[in-house]
Amino acid sequence: MHPNQLALPVAVTRWVEQSQQLDDATAIERLDGKLTLICDALNILASDADEVPPEIEGLSVVDLMSAQSSIAAEIGTRRRLMAMGIAA
């Protein structure tokens, strides 16, 4: 198993945990930035690029989609709480 495959879930967990210390709007903004990074990595993999940046080397589409799903779920939860007027 490539080290990046082990590091990505740990990073996602850390990002989500760190977001829980922030107000909803700031948390959503930061997590959205991380989601953009994941989407960019997916685009690189989809492009069949000859060279892959070291940050995503060894990662599969499944690895990235799992990370994307976890981050999107947290963003969705925070948005629902904001809509109901409940602070996370």
Side-chain angles (χ1 to χ4, degrees):
M1 181 174 279
H2 194 281
N4 283 345
Q5 288 179 297
L6 299 172
L8 183 60
V10 172
V12 169
T13 299
R14 186 179 69 244
W15 296 337
V16 169
E17 287 173 353
Q18 288 172 345
S19 77
Q20 293 170 350
Q21 306 302 316
L22 304 170
D23 65 274
D24 290 328
T26 304
I28 289 169
E29 182 179 331
R30 292 214 181 143
L31 289 172
D32 190 54
K34 300 299 184 186
L35 196 56
T36 299
L37 293 173
I38 298 294
C39 291
D40 290 346
L42 281 164
N43 285 331
I44 290 169
L45 289 183
S47 72
D48 290 329
D50 290 336
E51 289 189 32
V52 176
E55 302 84 38
I56 63 171
E57 186 176 302
L59 295 176
S60 69
V61 170
V62 172
D63 298 325
L64 293 168
M65 293 291 289
S66 176
Q68 183 182 40
S69 177
S70 295
I71 295 169
E74 182 65 18
I75 290 171
T77 298
R78 298 299 282 262
R79 285 189 175 147
R80 282 190 296 283
L81 290 173
M82 283 178 63
M84 293 187 296
I86 302 170

